[in-house]
């Protein structure tokens, strides 16, 4: 389940990057010859991107919580097995199998955790890009309103 969520997050991040790049290109085109109808479409696309980013962020937090919880459980069980191994009883094969499974889980978690941190960094980069998009949209909106005001003022 955690691996599936992690794969979905990676796919979401790639899609978000493509969407942000596409929106930036469309804004550049819009800025060359602004049309009010297109402005609304661009704002809706930006809002949709923000919604998708928030959904991805929630998914990341869910996966991070699952990984943190699993890491705590693995550590508890590893400590328990160390204590059980120290008891003066004959070796139990199940204990060694449990140690092997816990060690494998621990290795897997130590790989997933940095990947998740990288994904969080990628998502932060995407948020910065969307912030730049908002600035572009605001500045083009303000300059278009100013130009429209000047045109109306000059015609009076």
């Amino acid at each position: 389940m955690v691996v599936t969520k992690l794969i979905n997050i990676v796919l979401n991040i790639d899609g978000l990057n493509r969407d942000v790049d596409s929106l930036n290109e469309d804004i550049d085109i819009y800025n060359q010859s602004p049309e009010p109808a297109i402005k609304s479409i661009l704002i809706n696309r930006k809002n949709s991107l923000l919604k998708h980013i928030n959904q991805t962020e929630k998914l990341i937090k869910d996966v991070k919580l699952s990984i943190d919880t699993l890491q705590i459980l693995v550590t508890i069980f590893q400590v328990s097995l160390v204590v059980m191994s120290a008891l003066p009883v004959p070796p139990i094969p199940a204990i060694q199998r449990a140690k092997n499974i816990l060690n494998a889980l621990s290795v897997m978690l130590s790989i997933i955790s940095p990947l998740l941190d990288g994904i969080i960094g990628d998502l932060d980069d995407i948020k910065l890009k969307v912030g730049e998009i908002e600035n572009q949209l605001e500045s083009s909106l303000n300059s278009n309103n100013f130009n429209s005001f000047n045109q109306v003022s000059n015609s009076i």
Side-chain angles (χ1 to χ4, degrees):
M1 183 167 136
V2 171
V3 174
T4 304
K5 283 187 176 185
L6 193 57
I7 290 169
N8 288 337
I9 289 170
V10 170
L11 295 175
N12 278 339
I13 295 293
D14 288 342
L16 286 170
N17 272 319
R18 283 190 303 275
D19 292 346
V20 167
D21 292 341
S22 172
L23 184 56
N24 267 328
E25 290 169 5
D26 292 345
I27 288 171
D28 288 340
I29 293 168
Y30 166 79
N31 285 336
Q32 293 171 4
S33 59
E35 295 179 30
I38 293 176
K39 178 75 163 189
S40 177
I41 292 170
L42 293 173
I43 289 172
N44 288 338
R45 284 180 57 197
K46 185 255 323 167
N47 290 339
S48 177
L49 265 172
L50 286 175
K51 182 179 178 183
H52 195 181
I53 289 169
N54 290 334
Q55 290 169 342
T56 302
E57 190 171 40
K58 183 188 178 319
L59 189 59
I60 288 172
K61 287 180 181 180
D62 290 347
V63 170
K64 182 76 170 139
L65 180 62
S66 297
I67 288 174
D68 291 346
T69 302
L70 190 55
Q71 184 62 54
I72 290 168
L73 293 173
V74 166
T75 302
I76 289 170
F77 285 124
Q78 284 176 323
V79 169
S80 299
L81 289 176
V82 167
V83 169
M84 288 175 66
S85 297
L87 295 175
V89 293
I92 302 171
I95 290 178
Q96 188 55 46
R97 281 194 302 265
K99 280 183 182 178
N100 292 340
I101 291 170
L102 290 173
N103 287 339
L105 277 172
S106 184
V107 167
M108 185 178 75
L109 293 174
S110 68
I111 292 169
I112 291 174
S113 197
L115 286 174
L116 192 56
D117 290 339
I119 291 169
I120 290 169
D122 291 344
L123 188 61
D124 287 340
D125 290 344
I126 292 171
K127 285 180 179 180
L128 288 174
K129 288 179 183 179
V130 172
E132 291 170 7
I133 287 172
E134 287 178 320
N135 291 340
Q136 284 181 350
L137 288 171
E138 267 185 38
S139 68
S140 66
L141 177 63
N142 291 337
S143 68
N144 290 341
N145 286 343
F146 181 73
N147 290 338
S148 297
F149 175 75
N150 280 342
Q151 289 171 353
V152 170
S153 297
N154 290 336
S155 64
I156 296 179

